[in-house]
Amino acid sequence: MATFIFLVAAAFCIAGAVGIVLFRDAIRSVLSLVAVMLALSSLYLMLSAQFIFAVQVIVYSGAVMVLFLFVIALMGPVREQPSTRLRFQGLLAVIVAGSFAGLVVAMLGGVRYHAPDKGAVLSTFGSVESIAYGLFTTYLYPFELTSLLLLVAAVGAIYMSRRERP
Amino acid sequence: MTNLYNDPFWHWIVVLAAMLALLFSLVTATAYVVFLERVVIGHIQRRPGPNRVGPRGFLQMAVDGIKLVTKESFIPRNVDLFTYIAAPSIAVLAALLTWSVVPFAIWFGGVSYWIANVNIGILVIFAISAMNVYAIMLGGYSSNSKYSLLGGLRSAAQLISYEMSLGLSLVPIFIITGSLRLQTIEGWHGGLPLILVAPLSFVIYLISAVAETNRAPFDLPEAESELVGGYHTEYSGFKFAMFYLAEYMNITAVSAIATVVFLGGGSGPVLNWVLWLAIAVAVFLLLLWSRFVPPFGALVVAAIVFAFAGLDTPLFWFLIKVLAILFVYIWLRSTLPRLRYDMLMQLGWKVLLPLSIVNVIVTALVFVALT
């Protein structure tokens, strides 16, 4: 059962990823990206990371992708035209993608997977409680600094967008 | 009676049966929520409401449903066909999925059965309701119509804005109960309604929930006077019916969650049969007086109420509370004028969001001080 779910989710992931690149219609690409996000969230769930699953769906599928859709809907249904300027782009893409795939294979080939520790309780591993405990004890400073960074980014974005006006 | 839920084979049988029963009763109930709304709004506006089809108009919704299904499904030219068809499907899917985690327990042989008992119940509900935005956005985008597009865009902005205060309004509940599991929240201190402890949360939740389900006075995405029908202007026949069904299923789901989280869910006094009989008679007389159902229907409803005494008291109290919140929804729709768009955004960002943040901080401080 678990293998079957994994295979379905992985297939959706790969199909979506291919779709993002291949669709000429921007809205189809965004929808493919949504499919990838949802498939990823189910993979998280299978790794017993329940909280990450929910946050993945709420934040990425729910908020970020909707903003993407928002922008595309405002632009209107503009189809991306096949580019004529970069003639060697196709060849270049094959070379870059090929070397990147080689890099990934080389990197993953050296990874040694090991079973979870004997004492680890998987059911509490990714629960809200354990993540909250980690965030507010061991990783408190990184957590707070990250939120400060996000705040600075948000304030900066608002300042930049309003600068022209009196 | 052993707990069938723990047996791997019977588990799936029970869950499948519960899902089918829920699907059937949900679709039927949704139709009658629409009927209730039309009758109540009729009363409030001092007109009869639907009263032609069947006794006291009671078959109106069945006729409407048949009409919508058999109508020609008109698809305008130049629509983006895939997304045009996907949008109403996503709407119904999201509306139905929400119900999978609502602790709508059915008692059988002293054990309560529900479809899913997950320890991140509320987060799952938020995740599913986030999918709702896609239905409206894609419906508005794919229709190739300016009214649909504007309705869809407005709705996306509105849903994202109010989602935050909706989420934050429930954070005090997590602080108080220490759980995200809906079953635990419902049974907090033996079903003590959390509205007594966190009344501000309830108010914020209710307002945000009205905005999240695009209901009046926040029904900007389909403001008739400005946008014709909003995101579903170009939909007809069964696809329109799906949007319509999804809207009312969402309202019922939001009311059910409010019931579980704030009103103690299925908790209520366990009465003896004499009191149940009295309640059934009272319901019968009330229904006769209100003329909401024909006399025979009132008798049937009273009999069902009395049957609950022996079968499933928690379900009875649960339904009563859901019905009460639904009534508030309808009441709001029929008495409040629609907000202007900038007022809607100001209410969301400048009133509800700061208020819910203050609510979280104060609750946390009080909780730390008390424990």
Side-chain angles (χ1 to χ4, degrees):
Chain A
M1 189 71 182
T3 322
F4 175 70
I5 296 174
F6 170 77
L7 286 177
V8 170
F12 261 96
C13 247
I14 293 168
V18 171
I20 297 168
V21 184
L22 289 188
F23 277 125
R24 288 255 170 250
D25 200 349
I27 203 121
R28 297 281 156 90
S29 292
V30 169
L31 289 180
S32 311
L33 192 51
V34 175
V36 174
M37 298 289 184
L38 290 177
L40 260 184
S41 71
S42 54
L43 288 180
Y44 284 135
L45 195 58
M46 292 189 65
L47 293 169
S48 88
Q50 310 142 357
F51 183 70
I52 306 291
F53 151 75
V55 169
Q56 167 84 10
V57 178
I58 295 170
V59 175
Y60 282 96
S61 320
V64 176
M65 295 321 297
V66 169
L67 286 182
F68 277 40
L69 262 187
F70 209 94
V71 172
I72 287 169
L74 278 177
M75 288 194 317
V78 187
R79 279 176 164 267
E80 186 201 351
Q81 297 302 318
S83 170
T84 49
R85 262 189 258 167
L86 270 174
R87 282 176 193 283
F88 54 91
Q89 196 191 19
L91 187 67
L92 200 68
V94 169
I95 294 171
V96 170
S99 45
F100 182 70
L103 211 71
V104 169
V105 169
M107 206 172 70
L108 288 182
V111 174
R112 287 177 58 207
Y113 302 96
H114 65 94
D117 300 334
K118 282 270 188 283
V121 186
L122 276 179
S123 59
T124 60
F125 161 70
S127 68
V128 181
E129 288 86 351
S130 67
I131 285 183
Y133 187 78
L135 276 185
F136 288 105
T137 53
T138 322
Y139 306 106
L140 181 63
Y141 291 116
F143 175 61
E144 292 294 337
L145 283 176
T146 314
S147 37
L148 196 67
L149 194 66
L150 285 175
L151 186 66
V152 169
V155 172
I158 291 169
Y159 175 73
M160 301 265 282
S161 66
R162 290 183 67 95
R163 199 168 42 180
E164 302 297 318
R165 279 173 239 162
Chain B
M1 190 84 203
T2 55
N3 192 340
L4 293 176
Y5 213 74
N6 295 330
D7 187 274
F9 173 72
W10 281 104
H11 177 93
W12 290 108
I13 300 286
V14 167
V15 167
L16 207 65
M19 270 156 50
L20 282 175
L22 182 63
L23 184 66
F24 178 74
S25 45
L26 206 58
V27 172
T28 318
T30 306
Y32 278 93
V33 170
V34 179
F35 182 69
L36 177 76
E37 177 176 79
R38 289 176 63 178
V39 170
V40 170
I41 289 185
H43 272 269
I44 289 175
Q45 294 172 349
R46 307 198 70 175
R47 59 187 173 79
N51 66 349
R52 293 287 138 177
V53 190
R56 299 241 166 80
F58 213 63
L59 295 174
Q60 181 69 46
M61 296 334 287
V63 174
D64 280 358
I66 292 168
K67 186 198 84 179
L68 279 172
V69 171
T70 53
K71 230 177 172 179
E72 182 194 355
S73 193
F74 181 78
I75 297 179
R77 219 192 302 175
N78 291 333
V79 298
D80 189 6
L81 199 62
F82 173 73
T83 33
Y84 181 79
I85 294 172
S89 325
I90 297 173
V92 172
L93 189 76
L96 281 174
L97 268 178
T98 317
W99 278 91
S100 63
V101 288
V102 171
F104 191 96
I106 293 166
W107 281 56
F108 184 70
V111 187
S112 54
Y113 296 100
W114 37 65
I115 292 174
N117 183 357
V118 285
N119 58 356
I120 49 166
I122 289 197
L123 289 181
V124 171
I125 285 173
F126 282 147
I128 296 165
S129 72
M131 293 297 100
N132 235 336
V133 190
Y134 285 104
I136 294 172
M137 267 300 275
L138 292 179
Y141 169 81
S142 64
S143 296
N144 193 26
S145 144
K146 57 188 169 193
Y147 299 120
S148 300
L149 183 65
L150 284 174
L153 286 179
R154 272 189 182 183
S155 164
Q158 175 181 336
L159 260 62
I160 293 178
S161 309
Y162 278 84
E163 212 158 49
M164 269 185 274
S165 32
L166 189 75
L168 282 172
S169 75
L170 292 179
V171 172
I173 304 300
F174 308 152
I175 297 174
I176 294 165
T177 59
S179 176
L180 293 170
R181 191 191 291 269
L182 282 163
Q183 279 82 352
T184 315
I185 294 172
E186 185 186 12
W188 185 71
H189 281 245
L192 189 69
L194 273 156
I195 185 175
L196 301 174
V197 193
L200 187 59
S201 285
F202 180 69
V203 173
I204 296 172
Y205 176 87
L206 211 61
I207 296 174
S208 317
V210 175
E212 277 287 300
T213 47
N214 291 325
R215 291 278 300 176
F218 300 121
D219 55 347
L220 271 295
E222 39 183 315
E224 293 92 347
S225 47
E226 308 155 26
L227 294 177
V228 192
Y231 60 92
H232 57 52
T233 306
E234 305 293 340
Y235 282 90
S236 61
F238 193 59
K239 291 193 220 39
F240 172 74
M242 281 165 88
F243 269 128
Y244 201 67
L245 199 68
E247 182 187 334
Y248 281 87
M249 271 190 219
N250 278 329
I251 297 164
T252 0
V254 162
S255 314
I257 295 158
T259 304
V260 167
V261 172
F262 291 104
L263 302 182
S267 70
V270 178
L271 310 168
N272 59 10
W273 70 272
V274 179
L275 281 169
W276 278 111
L277 195 63
I279 288 177
V281 170
V283 166
F284 176 69
L285 291 176
L286 190 73
L287 285 177
L288 269 191
W289 172 75
S290 73
R291 297 195 297 163
F292 174 56
V293 290
F296 178 70
L299 202 63
V300 171
V301 172
I304 291 173
V305 167
F306 185 60
F308 265 121
L311 289 174
D312 202 337
T313 322
L315 191 59
F316 175 70
W317 290 120
F318 179 79
L319 292 178
I320 288 285
K321 290 169 184 175
V322 171
L323 216 56
I325 295 180
L326 278 175
F327 183 77
V328 173
Y329 254 92
I330 296 167
W331 196 2
L332 285 177
R333 176 176 170 186
S334 54
T335 45
L336 288 178
R338 182 181 297 131
L339 262 74
R340 220 170 56 214
Y341 189 64
D342 57 323
M343 289 158 81
L344 173 94
M345 282 300 171
Q346 280 202 345
L347 179 70
W349 288 100
K350 296 185 179 170
V351 180
L352 284 184
L353 191 63
L355 205 62
S356 47
I357 293 173
V358 168
N359 187 24
V360 170
I361 295 173
V362 169
T363 312
L365 287 177
V366 170
F367 187 78
V368 169
L370 287 180
T371 49

